[in-house]
mmCIF file of all heavy atoms in Angstrom:
data_model
loop_
_atom_site.group_PDB
_atom_site.id
_atom_site.type_symbol
_atom_site.label_atom_id
_atom_site.label_comp_id
_atom_site.label_asym_id
_atom_site.label_seq_id
_atom_site.Cartn_x
_atom_site.Cartn_y
_atom_site.Cartn_z
ATOM 1 N N LEU A 111 111.781 -73.946 -72.521
ATOM 2 C CA LEU A 111 112.662 -73.239 -73.450
ATOM 3 C C LEU A 111 111.836 -72.836 -74.646
ATOM 4 O O LEU A 111 111.122 -73.664 -75.223
ATOM 5 C CB LEU A 111 113.854 -74.119 -73.902
ATOM 6 C CG LEU A 111 114.714 -73.598 -74.975
ATOM 7 C CD1 LEU A 111 115.515 -72.429 -74.511
ATOM 8 C CD2 LEU A 111 115.683 -74.693 -75.556
ATOM 9 N N VAL A 112 111.976 -71.542 -75.068
ATOM 10 C CA VAL A 112 111.221 -71.044 -76.182
ATOM 11 C C VAL A 112 112.229 -70.353 -77.101
ATOM 12 O O VAL A 112 113.094 -69.496 -76.584
ATOM 13 C CB VAL A 112 110.113 -70.014 -75.815
ATOM 14 C CG1 VAL A 112 109.410 -69.555 -77.057
ATOM 15 C CG2 VAL A 112 109.115 -70.710 -74.882
ATOM 16 N N GLU A 113 112.244 -70.640 -78.384
ATOM 17 C CA GLU A 113 113.178 -70.062 -79.355
ATOM 18 C C GLU A 113 112.391 -69.479 -80.451
ATOM 19 O O GLU A 113 111.416 -70.023 -80.945
ATOM 20 C CB GLU A 113 114.014 -71.096 -79.881
ATOM 21 C CG GLU A 113 114.861 -71.864 -78.850
ATOM 22 C CD GLU A 113 115.529 -73.171 -79.376
ATOM 23 O OE1 GLU A 113 114.971 -73.806 -80.301
ATOM 24 O OE2 GLU A 113 116.647 -73.432 -78.945
ATOM 25 N N VAL A 114 112.828 -68.230 -80.805
ATOM 26 C CA VAL A 114 112.248 -67.581 -81.972
ATOM 27 C C VAL A 114 113.387 -67.282 -82.973
ATOM 28 O O VAL A 114 114.333 -66.574 -82.524
ATOM 29 C CB VAL A 114 111.474 -66.244 -81.583
ATOM 30 C CG1 VAL A 114 110.983 -65.498 -82.832
ATOM 31 C CG2 VAL A 114 110.348 -66.574 -80.656
ATOM 32 N N SER A 115 113.319 -67.765 -84.142
ATOM 33 C CA SER A 115 114.334 -67.596 -85.156
ATOM 34 C C SER A 115 113.854 -66.889 -86.358
ATOM 35 O O SER A 115 112.750 -66.895 -86.746
ATOM 36 C CB SER A 115 114.792 -69.027 -85.622
ATOM 37 O OG SER A 115 115.222 -69.822 -84.532
ATOM 38 N N ASP A 116 114.856 -66.168 -86.990
ATOM 39 C CA ASP A 116 114.530 -65.458 -88.233
ATOM 40 C C ASP A 116 115.821 -65.451 -89.081
ATOM 41 O O ASP A 116 116.863 -65.733 -88.532
ATOM 42 C CB ASP A 116 113.971 -64.067 -88.025
ATOM 43 C CG ASP A 116 114.877 -63.083 -87.361
ATOM 44 O OD1 ASP A 116 116.037 -62.943 -87.837
ATOM 45 O OD2 ASP A 116 114.480 -62.486 -86.376
ATOM 46 N N PRO A 117 115.746 -65.051 -90.384
ATOM 47 C CA PRO A 117 116.927 -65.115 -91.206
ATOM 48 C C PRO A 117 117.924 -63.932 -91.062
ATOM 49 O O PRO A 117 118.914 -63.900 -91.735
ATOM 50 C CB PRO A 117 116.316 -65.146 -92.645
ATOM 51 C CG PRO A 117 114.964 -64.539 -92.548
ATOM 52 C CD PRO A 117 114.530 -64.831 -91.141
ATOM 53 N N LEU A 118 117.602 -62.939 -90.269
ATOM 54 C CA LEU A 118 118.471 -61.802 -90.115
ATOM 55 C C LEU A 118 119.590 -62.204 -89.157
ATOM 56 O O LEU A 118 119.309 -62.595 -88.041
ATOM 57 C CB LEU A 118 117.708 -60.568 -89.536
ATOM 58 C CG LEU A 118 118.528 -59.285 -89.451
ATOM 59 C CD1 LEU A 118 118.795 -58.774 -90.824
ATOM 60 C CD2 LEU A 118 117.655 -58.271 -88.684
ATOM 61 N N PRO A 119 120.855 -62.109 -89.563
ATOM 62 C CA PRO A 119 121.995 -62.553 -88.730
ATOM 63 C C PRO A 119 122.314 -61.577 -87.545
ATOM 64 O O PRO A 119 122.921 -62.002 -86.546
ATOM 65 C CB PRO A 119 123.163 -62.705 -89.666
ATOM 66 C CG PRO A 119 122.864 -61.792 -90.775
ATOM 67 C CD PRO A 119 121.399 -61.739 -90.882
ATOM 68 N N ASP A 120 121.911 -60.331 -87.683
ATOM 69 C CA ASP A 120 122.234 -59.379 -86.676
ATOM 70 C C ASP A 120 121.519 -59.630 -85.360
ATOM 71 O O ASP A 120 120.355 -59.815 -85.310
ATOM 72 C CB ASP A 120 121.897 -57.953 -87.167
ATOM 73 C CG ASP A 120 122.572 -57.616 -88.494
ATOM 74 O OD1 ASP A 120 123.715 -58.096 -88.628
ATOM 75 O OD2 ASP A 120 121.999 -56.871 -89.230
ATOM 76 N N PRO A 121 122.199 -59.641 -84.234
ATOM 77 C CA PRO A 121 121.592 -59.844 -82.947
ATOM 78 C C PRO A 121 120.746 -58.669 -82.634
ATOM 79 O O PRO A 121 120.994 -57.521 -83.004
ATOM 80 C CB PRO A 121 122.742 -60.036 -81.984
ATOM 81 C CG PRO A 121 123.882 -59.277 -82.596
ATOM 82 C CD PRO A 121 123.701 -59.433 -84.076
ATOM 83 N N PRO A 122 119.664 -58.960 -81.892
ATOM 84 C CA PRO A 122 118.773 -57.840 -81.457
ATOM 85 C C PRO A 122 119.544 -56.980 -80.430
ATOM 86 O O PRO A 122 120.467 -57.439 -79.667
ATOM 87 C CB PRO A 122 117.606 -58.472 -80.824
ATOM 88 C CG PRO A 122 118.137 -59.800 -80.371
ATOM 89 C CD PRO A 122 119.214 -60.182 -81.335
ATOM 90 N N LEU A 123 119.212 -55.767 -80.392
ATOM 91 C CA LEU A 123 119.870 -54.747 -79.433
ATOM 92 C C LEU A 123 118.877 -54.359 -78.351
ATOM 93 O O LEU A 123 117.789 -53.858 -78.604
ATOM 94 C CB LEU A 123 120.320 -53.536 -80.166
ATOM 95 C CG LEU A 123 121.357 -53.764 -81.241
ATOM 96 C CD1 LEU A 123 121.654 -52.488 -82.036
ATOM 97 C CD2 LEU A 123 122.644 -54.354 -80.653
ATOM 98 N N GLU A 124 119.316 -54.530 -77.125
ATOM 99 C CA GLU A 124 118.512 -54.031 -76.006
ATOM 100 C C GLU A 124 118.780 -52.580 -75.908
ATOM 101 O O GLU A 124 119.848 -52.082 -76.082
ATOM 102 C CB GLU A 124 119.029 -54.686 -74.645
ATOM 103 C CG GLU A 124 118.044 -55.497 -73.961
ATOM 104 C CD GLU A 124 118.590 -55.976 -72.652
ATOM 105 O OE1 GLU A 124 119.652 -56.613 -72.649
ATOM 106 O OE2 GLU A 124 117.919 -55.746 -71.590
#
Side-chain angles (χ1 to χ4, degrees):
L111 172 67
V112 180
E113 301 168 326
V114 177
S115 303
D116 65 51
L118 187 68
D120 303 327
L123 299 174
E124 241 185 306

